[in-house]
Amino acid sequence: MLPNELVHLKEQGRPITILTAWDSISAAIVEEAGADVVLVGDSLGMVVLGHSSTLPVTIEQLIHHTQAVGRGLSKPQANRPLVICDMPFLSYQCGEDQAVEAAGSLIKNSCATGVKIEGGEPEIIKIISRLVRMGIPVMGHLGLTPQSVNCLGYKQQAKDEQSQEKLLSQAFELENAGCFSIVIEHVPSKIADTLQKQLKLPIIGIGAGLKCDGQVRVTADLLGLSKKQPPFSKPLIDGKQLFINTLKSWIDQQKNHE
Ligand code: KIV
C-alpha cells in the first residue's frame, strides 16, 4: 500500500488502524493482527529504551529499529502493512536540507515508505512541503506533540477556542503542504470530529475520541507492557503480569526439577 491510498480508505469510510512496532517480534505480531500501518514511533525511546521522554532518540536508533521491523514482516509486499517512521527530535527542526538528509537516510536504509513529523509551525510546514516535493511522503502530528514536552507537558491540548482555531488552521496547512494524513493526539473529541469532517486527508486519533478516520496506539500500551500508561490509552490486557506469571511458572518448574 502507498501512503496516498489511506486517503481512499477515508473516502470509503473504512477505519484505518495503526500500531507501533520496535523490533522484528513486535512487527510480526502487528502484521499478523492485521494493522494497516506499522509506525516505528519515537515512543521507542520511552517504551523500549527506558528514557523518560522521546527527546534522546536518534536517527541512527530509528534506522536500526526500522530495519529490525522490516525483517519481522513476512507477507508478500502487496499485502504488507505500510511502514512509517518517526523523525526524531532535532533531525528536522534545524532546516530543510538537514531534514531531507535525515528523512532520506531513513527511507534509503530501512523499509519505511514515509516519515512522521510533529508540529504545524510555519518552519515545519516549509520543511514538510520540501520533503513531499523531494518524493518523501509525510504524516503530520498535531495536538500533544511529545517532542515539545518541555513546553507543553503531556497535558491535553486545544482545550480553548483560540487554540482549537490554531490547530484547525495548522491542519489545513499540513494538508496543503502535501501530508498524506495527520495524527492528532490528546485533544477534545469535538476538535477531532471537526478536523475529520473538514479535511480530505485521514485524521488518525490517539486520545482524540472515536470520530476520527482511524486510530493509532502504542502497541506496548495496549498490551499492558508500558512502564507509564497514558490516561487516554487503556491496556487491553495485563501483559506484564501475564509474562511474569508465565516465566515464574517456568522458573518454578526448573527449581523443582519438573
Ligand atoms: O511515537 C509514537 O509512538 C507516536 C504515536 C503515539 C502516535 O508518535
Side-chain angles (χ1 to χ4, degrees):
M1 172 160 55
L2 284 174
N4 279 342
E5 289 173 44
L6 294 184
V7 179
H8 300 315
L9 295 182
K10 172 171 182 143
E11 287 162 3
Q12 291 159 18
R14 172 13 193 105
I16 298 162
T17 52
I18 307 186
L19 287 170
T20 64
W22 53 88
D23 61 12
S24 65
I25 295 177
S26 55
I29 292 171
V30 162
E31 179 186 48
E32 197 55 43
D36 297 307
V37 180
V38 175
L39 173 68
V40 188
D42 61 358
S43 56
L44 166 87
M46 300 171 82
V47 171
V48 178
L49 304 178
H51 294 298
S52 59
S53 77
T54 60
L55 300 180
V57 176
T58 65
I59 195 91
E60 290 78 16
Q61 286 169 334
L62 277 173
I63 291 174
H64 175 79
H65 283 270
T66 309
Q67 288 171 339
V69 163
R71 290 190 286 270
L73 300 177
S74 60
K75 292 193 177 169
Q77 201 64 40
N79 304 329
R80 274 186 190 191
L82 182 67
V83 178
I84 302 298
C85 184
D86 257 336
M87 295 275 287
F89 181 59
L90 275 199
S91 66
Y92 57 95
Q93 290 91 339
C94 299
E96 293 178 33
D97 289 349
Q98 200 192 330
V100 172
E101 209 165 337
S105 70
L106 271 172
I107 303 290
K108 202 168 170 165
N109 295 301
S110 76
C111 64
T113 308
V115 298
K116 176 163 78 58
I117 286 187
E118 293 184 9
E121 297 305 326
E123 298 87 339
I124 302 292
I125 302 293
K126 274 195 190 160
I127 286 164
I128 290 176
S129 153
R130 168 92 174 267
L131 289 174
V132 173
R133 278 185 285 117
M134 295 303 109
I136 299 174
V138 180
M139 174 183 261
H141 186 155
L142 295 174
L144 194 170
T145 45
Q147 291 175 19
S148 304
V149 61
N150 291 335
C151 291
L152 307 176
Y154 290 120
K155 293 193 300 279
Q156 191 184 46
Q157 300 296 306
K159 281 161 101 166
D160 58 76
E161 210 170 306
Q162 200 186 353
S163 49
Q164 290 180 0
E165 271 165 27
K166 184 173 172 198
L167 186 77
L168 196 57
S169 97
Q170 289 186 339
F172 278 115
E173 298 277 357
L174 289 177
E175 180 162 270
N176 292 336
C179 281
F180 66 87
S181 67
I182 303 178
V183 166
I184 175 121
E185 179 165 355
H186 205 14
V187 296
S189 55
K190 178 178 150 239
I191 177 74
D193 189 18
T194 307
L195 288 173
Q196 193 280 334
K197 289 196 178 105
Q198 296 203 12
L199 277 92
K200 289 192 195 72
L201 53 74
I203 299 301
I204 311 295
I206 172 164
L210 299 175
K211 293 186 176 159
C212 300
D213 299 299
Q215 297 286 333
V216 55
R217 292 292 181 275
V218 174
T219 300
D221 291 347
L222 285 187
L223 297 180
L225 296 174
S226 297
K227 200 168 165 191
K228 227 175 165 191
Q229 204 73 40
F232 50 83
S233 183
K234 298 275 176 251
L236 300 175
I237 55 164
D238 188 350
K240 190 172 168 194
Q241 203 52 52
L242 188 68
F243 283 176
I244 291 171
N245 292 347
T246 307
L247 296 176
K248 198 170 173 304
S249 85
W250 180 82
I251 290 168
D252 289 345
Q253 280 170 21
Q254 304 315 305
K255 283 184 180 160
N256 297 327
H257 304 288
E258 281 173 15

